[in-house]
Amino acid sequence: MNFNILAYIIYSLLTCYIILWVGRQFHRNGRTFIVSLFGQDSSLADTTNNLLLMGYYLFNIGYAIIQFSYWDQIQSIDELVSSIALKTGRLLFVLVGLHYMNMLGIYLFAKKKKLINH
């Protein structure tokens, strides 16, 4: 029996939930950092924050969709669970990597801005 369709459905629901939940958290909690970088210009900070959220959604949903093309044939429940866990783990690894790269970028940008202002 082929379990690929079931795996696709479970993976899609799981990754969409993770991507949307993490995106909302980043959008809400990251606004403070962006406002401080733009010198309390709320309008520019909100626009930038919204653009970052859209880019985040597009990149991560695109990555999740690409994972379908690398899926092997699943023949058992064990393979189903293992495959979904592996694909979801890779997605989480990408999310963590992007988060730390963004935090490094914000830190370097704020440091450069502080040097220019002094």
Side-chain angles (χ1 to χ4, degrees), residues 68-81:
F68 289 124
S69 64
Y70 295 108
W71 220 304
D72 294 329
Q73 184 99 6
I74 301 172
Q75 297 295 331
S76 68
I77 297 294
D78 294 342
E79 289 179 15
L80 174 78
V81 172

Side-chain angles (χ1 to χ4, degrees), residues 94-108:
V94 167
L95 289 175
V96 167
L98 288 173
H99 174 68
Y100 281 110
M101 285 177 31
N102 284 339
M103 291 305 294
L104 177 64
I106 288 172
Y107 169 75
L108 293 174

